[in-house]
Each structure stands twice: as C-alpha cells, then as structure tokens.
Amino acid sequence: MSAVYKKELKSWFVSPMGYVIVAFFFAIVGLYFTIYNLQNQYPWFGVGLENTAFVLMIIVPLITMRMMADERRQKTDQLLYTAPVKITDIVLGKYFAVVTVFAIPMLVFLFYPLILLGFGKPAASLAMDYVAIAGYFLLGAASLAVGFYVSAVTENQVLAAVLSFGLLLLSYFSTSLAAIIPSDPVSSLIGVAIVICLLAVLIYIMTKNLLLAAGVGLGLEAVLAVIFLLRRSLLQGLINRIIAVLGMPDRLNNLVYGELDLTVVVYYLSVIFLFLFLSVQAIYKRRWS
Amino acid sequence: MIKIEHLTKKYGDHVAVDDLNIELAPGKIYGFLGPNGAGKSTTMNIMTGYLAATEGTVTVNGFDIFEEPEKAKSCIGYLPELPPLYMDMTPREYLSFVADLKKVDRRKKKLMVEEIMQETGITEVANRLIRNLSKGYRQRVGIAQALIGFPPVLILDEPTVGLDPNQIMEVRELIRRLGSQHTIILSSHILSEISAVCDYVWIINKGRLVAADTPENLSVNMNQNVYYTISVKGEEAAIGGLLQGVEAVRSFTTLEKEKDTVRLRIEADQAHTGLEEELFYLFADHRMPILSSTKEEHSLEEVFMAFTAETKEGEDEA
C-alpha cells in the first residue's frame, strides 16, 4: 500500500493539480472566513466553513475523475494489477493519497480559529470549531470516496466527473427533496418500489447475475407489499427517510453547532468504507468482463 | 514452471481462448506465434493475473494465479503490449516505484535499479521524463520494469513492436541474454523474430493451439519433399528428358526461359541425399551447364500460413 500511496501523493504534486486543489480551498474558505469572521465579527469559524460545503460537490469530481480512469487509459493498470499487490492495497493507497492532499488545507484551517482569539473569541469555543473542521474533513473524505468509486467504474474521465457531480448533487439536495415529497403510505409504497427496482438494476450491473438481481428485487418488493397490506402505518414517511439518508452535507450541521455527534462520524466512515469496498469489487469484476 | 490447463476465455459469445493446454520448462525461451487477434495477449493477460479466465487454471511455480495471486505474481515479470509507463516520471523514479510495488528489499533496491538500467541500456536517459523518451527507450524502460525483482519468468508481449531495425536487433540480443537466467515467453506475429530467438514455438490461431514444436522441427515436419530451383543452359525439352530419368525427382516445372537458359523448380524426395551433385554430373555429361542451384528452405512463414489456413478450412467444413 505504501508504494502506491507514495507514488500517488508525489504525482499530485508533480503536476499542478495538487497545488491547485490546496489553493482552491484556501481561496474559498479564506473568502468566507474574511466575510463571516473578520468583517462581520462572527466568532465561529465552523459556520463559514459549513457554508463552503457546496464547493466539494464541484471540486471533488474534478479531483477524482482521473484517479482510476487515467490508469486505464494509459494502461498502467496492467502494471498495478499484475504486481504482487492486493487490489485493496492499490485502492487504499490511492484513496489515502488524495485524502492527504485534501487534509493539507484542513490542517492549515486549524490555525484560523486561533486568529479569532485575538478579536476576543472565548477560548472555550475553540473545541467547537475543531469539531466542525474534523466534520468538514470527514465530509470531504466521504465525497472523495464516492468520486473515486465512480472513477473506478467509468471508462472515461468526463463521464466520471459528470456522474460523481450528479451523485454529490443528489446528496446535497436530498434533505430538501425529502421534505417536498409527500409522506403518505401510498407515495412511500410507490417511491420505495422504485428504489428497490433501482437497487436490483444496480445489483445486476455489479454482478451481471440476473437471477440474483431479480431475486433480491422481487423479494424486497414482496416484503414491501406485505408491509403495505398489513401495517400500512409503517410506511408513513419511509421514502422521505430513505432519501434523507443520502444527504451527506446536511449531517455536518450537528457537528458545526458544537455537538460531537458520533452517529455522524460513524455515518461518514460508513460511506467511506462502503464506496472503497465497492471500488475494490468493481475492479475485481472488471477482470471477468 | 508454468502450467496452463484447459484455459478458456469468453467475451460474451466470442471465444478468445479455447481450451488451451501448455506447460513450460524452466530456462527456455518460448514463442507465442499467431496472427493479430489470435488470443496471444489475452492468454498473457490471464497468465499474469490481469484478466480472469472463464474456465481453466494457470499455475506459476506451483501457485495458482487465481487462488494465490500475490505469490504467483511475484514469480512473473510482465511487459504488456503497451508498456505501462507513467509519463510524468523519470525512468529512475518509475523503476524505483516498481521495485517498491514488487516489494524489493529496500537495501537492494537502488543497486538493482541501476543494474537493470545498465542491462537495458537506459542509464543515459534515467533522469529524463518518460514523456520525452522515444518509442525505443520507452520499450526498454518497459522491459526494465519487467526485470525488476529478477522474477524467474518473464512474459513479454510483442517486445519489439514499433522499434526500428537496430533497436529490434538490440532487444532480441537482450532477450537472448536474459534467456540464460529466466524462462521467457514472448509473443509476436513476426515470424523471423520467433525463429531468431525462441527455443520452442506455439502457434495459436483463433484461441486454439495449432502447433507446438521447436522452430527447426516445425519446418522439417511440414513436408516430405524438398524443392530446388535450378538454371540450366540448354534446350527445355532435352533438360526435361534428362530430369525424367532421375529417380528422386518427383516433378518439375519450368519457371522461366531466357535465350538459351531455362529456370526450373524441381520437387524431390527428401530422403534422397546428394541430388544436387547427381544433377550436376548428369547435366555436365550432356554439356548443359547448371548456372545456379538453390535449395528452398521451409521458412516458419510457410509453416505458419499452412497451420493457420488449415484451421480456417476446418471451420468452413464444420
């Protein structure tokens, strides 16, 4: 893993890409810091930081789009996959390298709240800002995992960028989306049925196993139908909850306002784990096609 | 060393490799010969663990490439059809990365990289970006990459493609030199290359093994007849009359007539030795001098065409 990690990290900074990413975060967060904290004398750094969460949606696809797609285009994946290294190590090495690049501006942001101390910010509120920065870092890391996965499954960079942007956009708006969808049991029935169909299609795309996909799909639909017939009230608002689960940026809220909510931390770590796991599976699967 | 059993690879309905069975002995140079799209690269990609097989097994040094991939892969150095190079690295950085990837001992790494660069002749470009190297140098960096860790088996997919004639000679020389310490498999659709370098040849067509032997045996076993082309000064009819009297000559055709010289192609029994001498005295006795005489050698080219054509006919019948 360390070989791939070192090589990747170096390659980010051999090209201008690494510097551009770091500079981009300095510029955007610096702008919000200036307006919120310095000009309007707002004491909490985390709030301004949270407001920049939308830029992750734009920059993460640009960072991750080339990560696996480029290896395939240059055929260097043949070197990686025929070397005596586990696929998991390759994926982790690449992922940790990009997370390291993202961590650089985050480390620098650790000093920003200290600047505010000079303007009379109470020292006791520092912890709140640091929890917010850690949360923002986790959100970024989770978004990078999503982008990385998309890069691992798509053939070209532009497609990878567009798809990851679409996924992150959905994640960004999912809480608002959940709020406008009707929450009565019938709407939930229809909504969840569609989600199950999508899941079945996804399983088929991942495994190319029609029997498995159809089995899981039909099984879940049957369970859904039984619940609808027997305990209709259980479906109240179900689809809204399912959609809300996708909302990664909104979870940051809890952390920003000072609460060290471990469920949020676990949520982000689970997203990271899930998408890295899926990336490894996608690469294994590619060998069979 | 390497054992391939019942290897089959299907892409949907298309069968790229069809029930391939091959065994390699250590210390030889093997040639994989076949027209484009015969399944050479696919087979190599499966042997190195890049692709999974639909059916069958590949064992390297006793390790199954699908069951114990890390152990099996550490026995193999692989140069794919397109050398897998990172354009934004220098050869030295790149080889050092490959050494890390292959888990070469940290203390031996530096020396090994330098030694291999020396061997493949890329020391003088070691600090230039790979992006700026010529095709020939890139190919050599690719071979150097395969050599890192000194694996017992080298698999080289079309190692000389795209090189100029001088570079081709150099790379062949390099492969021959490496053959003394490694088991090498190289693929090519260039026949002269295989016959120049390899100890043993597999001819593969449409994913199937159609012939396997040494280059010499393949040429010999092709045909029971030998062919001579001779030019004789004299009358066509008289020459014909004389040839008909020679027992070993099975048939002959006139290729060309030029003033008083006739050029003929003679088909003769391979078992009969000394035919050229016999003809010389025969024509000399009748004062018809032989101006030139050449024996046709079966090139691997013909063998190859014969084998690949055979399978085509077989398929048509089926």
Side-chain angles (χ1 to χ4, degrees):
Chain A
M1 187 183 92
S2 70
V4 178
Y5 174 78
K6 272 193 285 182
K7 178 237 135 203
E8 276 290 308
L9 192 59
K10 206 171 161 194
S11 83
W12 280 112
F13 290 103
V14 164
S15 72
M17 221 17 210
Y19 300 98
V20 170
I21 294 166
V22 172
F24 183 83
F25 279 105
F26 282 154
I28 292 288
V29 176
L31 186 69
Y32 274 75
F33 179 70
T34 310
I35 294 171
Y36 272 67
N37 303 118
L38 299 183
Q39 289 188 347
N40 292 326
Q41 312 207 329
Y42 194 72
W44 289 304
F45 174 64
V47 177
L49 191 65
E50 193 202 9
N51 277 305
T52 67
F54 76 94
V55 305
L56 288 172
M57 179 170 78
I58 298 159
I59 194 169
V60 163
L62 298 177
I63 297 173
T64 55
M65 65 177 189
R66 57 165 280 276
M67 288 187 71
M68 290 311 290
D70 214 38
E71 299 270 359
R72 270 203 300 285
R73 193 176 56 81
Q74 287 198 41
K75 303 275 178 205
T76 42
D77 60 337
Q78 284 194 313
L79 172 70
L80 297 179
Y81 302 156
T82 60
V85 189
K86 290 196 188 71
I87 304 280
T88 316
D89 289 342
I90 296 169
V91 167
L92 288 181
K94 281 182 157 283
Y95 176 70
F96 285 139
V98 76
V99 167
T100 307
V101 175
F102 175 64
I104 293 171
M106 298 302 125
L107 286 176
V108 176
F109 294 156
L110 293 179
F111 293 100
Y112 284 27
L114 299 180
I115 296 170
L116 295 178
L117 286 181
F119 293 90
K121 176 185 165 80
S125 67
L126 276 181
M128 200 168 136
D129 280 339
Y130 288 138
V131 169
I133 294 172
Y136 189 79
F137 172 68
L138 281 174
L139 170 64
S143 308
L144 287 169
V146 174
F148 183 76
Y149 168 68
V150 174
S151 175
V153 290
T154 46
E155 208 53 60
N156 82 51
Q157 299 192 13
V158 178
L159 186 66
V162 172
L163 272 179
S164 354
F165 177 71
L167 282 179
L168 294 177
L169 191 72
L170 177 70
S171 177
Y172 191 78
F173 286 117
S174 71
T175 316
S176 333
L177 203 63
I180 57 166
I181 287 177
S183 62
D184 61 289
V186 178
S187 308
S188 270
L189 177 73
I190 297 167
V192 176
I194 293 171
V195 170
I196 292 172
C197 286
L198 289 176
L199 187 71
V201 170
L202 204 67
I203 291 175
Y204 178 68
I205 291 171
M206 289 287 293
T207 62
K208 290 271 180 271
N209 188 336
L210 193 61
L211 207 66
L212 180 73
V216 171
L218 291 176
L220 287 175
E221 298 282 15
V223 170
L224 179 69
V226 169
I227 292 175
F228 182 72
L229 291 174
L230 300 180
R231 283 281 191 86
R232 188 171 288 225
S233 61
L234 276 180
L235 291 182
Q236 179 73 36
L238 182 63
I239 185 67
N240 312 71
R241 286 201 295 279
I242 289 178
I243 291 177
V245 162
L246 304 176
M248 295 198 294
D250 285 311
R251 272 154 219 274
L252 195 55
N253 238 315
N254 288 2
L255 298 182
V256 165
Y257 290 99
E259 187 190 345
L260 183 57
D261 186 348
L262 284 181
T263 59
V264 177
V265 175
V266 171
Y267 172 83
Y268 284 142
L269 291 179
S270 310
V271 171
I272 293 170
F273 176 81
L274 176 70
F275 280 95
L276 291 184
F277 173 76
L278 288 176
S279 306
V280 173
Q281 296 309 310
I283 292 168
Y284 270 123
K285 196 212 100 189
R286 187 168 283 277
R287 300 169 59 204
W288 293 94
S289 58
Chain B
M1 190 102 248
I2 292 190
K3 206 167 167 188
I4 299 179
E5 286 172 294
H6 303 291
L7 191 71
T8 303
K9 176 74 182 175
K10 290 178 188 162
Y11 292 107
D13 290 335
H14 172 69
V15 182
V17 179
D18 191 1
D19 196 28
L20 200 63
N21 290 286
I22 286 175
E23 201 165 341
L24 281 85
K28 280 192 176 173
I29 304 181
Y30 291 87
F32 237 136
L33 188 58
N36 291 327
K40 298 178 302 245
S41 294
T42 306
T43 308
M44 290 184 149
N45 276 334
I46 295 172
M47 288 165 84
T48 52
Y50 179 64
L51 291 177
T54 314
E55 269 167 61
T57 55
V58 175
T59 34
V60 185
N61 259 359
F63 303 116
D64 190 308
I65 192 89
F66 309 119
E67 304 289 331
E68 297 174 280
E70 278 90 42
K71 283 180 185 159
K73 284 172 185 174
S74 63
C75 303
I76 298 177
Y78 181 35
L79 170 70
E81 210 169 349
L82 245 111
L85 306 173
Y86 290 102
M87 294 298 156
D88 54 3
M89 286 184 172
T90 67
R92 184 173 273 126
E93 285 170 344
Y94 173 70
L95 294 176
S96 166
F97 164 61
V98 175
D100 286 340
L101 206 58
K102 293 189 180 179
K103 302 188 175 81
V104 172
D105 191 326
R106 220 167 261 278
R107 285 158 295 177
K108 291 183 195 156
K109 186 174 90 176
K110 208 167 169 189
L111 209 68
M112 183 188 281
V113 168
E114 294 304 322
E115 188 186 333
I116 287 171
M117 288 202 297
Q118 201 85 51
E119 178 93 2
T120 48
I122 51 175
T123 312
E124 68 254 46
V125 295
N127 294 321
R128 279 166 55 184
L129 282 185
I130 293 179
R131 185 197 311 284
N132 300 331
L133 296 184
S134 68
K135 175 97 178 124
Y137 273 121
R138 285 185 193 184
Q139 192 72 17
R140 280 196 251 181
V141 176
I143 295 176
Q145 164 273 124
L147 282 172
I148 292 277
F150 298 119
V153 182
L154 289 179
I155 298 182
L156 311 172
D157 197 353
E158 311 219 341
T160 58
V161 78
L163 303 184
D164 70 35
N166 279 331
Q167 294 167 331
I168 290 179
M169 296 313 285
E170 281 170 23
V171 169
R172 277 186 200 163
E173 193 48 51
L174 176 65
I175 291 171
R176 247 183 248 126
R177 240 184 303 137
L178 293 171
S180 56
Q181 301 135 31
H182 302 262
T183 304
I184 300 180
I185 308 171
L186 63 94
S187 79
S188 182
H189 60 269
I190 305 160
L191 302 129
S192 56
E193 180 158 296
I194 297 280
S195 55
V197 181
C198 299
D199 302 319
Y200 201 85
V201 182
W202 299 300
I203 298 180
I204 178 172
N205 190 38
K206 304 208 161 145
R208 251 178 271 165
L209 196 64
V210 289
D213 214 327
T214 60
E216 297 79 25
N217 281 351
L218 278 177
S219 313
V220 170
N221 292 340
M222 252 295 276
N223 209 318
Q224 296 305 307
N225 296 330
V226 286
Y227 295 89
Y228 297 93
T229 309
I230 58 170
S231 299
V232 186
K233 201 169 176 181
E235 284 294 315
E236 191 188 2
I239 295 165
L242 285 174
L243 281 175
Q244 258 158 9
V246 182
E247 199 189 333
V249 174
R250 294 203 170 140
S251 69
F252 57 89
T253 45
T254 308
L255 297 174
E256 206 179 353
K257 270 188 285 186
E258 208 180 292
K259 286 188 205 161
D260 51 354
T261 316
V262 185
R263 211 154 68 85
L264 306 107
R265 186 163 189 260
I266 299 171
E267 184 184 355
D269 190 348
Q270 196 181 28
H272 190 94
T273 48
L275 180 69
E276 279 173 300
E277 222 171 288
E278 199 177 311
L279 291 178
F280 173 82
Y281 288 119
L282 178 70
F283 284 107
D285 287 349
H286 293 81
R287 302 202 55 77
M288 287 188 269
I290 296 179
L291 302 176
S292 73
S293 166
T294 38
K295 186 181 176 184
E296 282 177 26
E297 297 283 352
H298 273 296
S299 64
L300 215 45
E301 219 110 345
E302 287 169 76
V303 181
F304 173 71
M305 303 232 281
F307 275 116
T308 47
E310 259 168 41
T311 40
K312 252 182 220 154
E313 278 162 26
E315 266 174 23
D316 290 344
E317 279 161 30

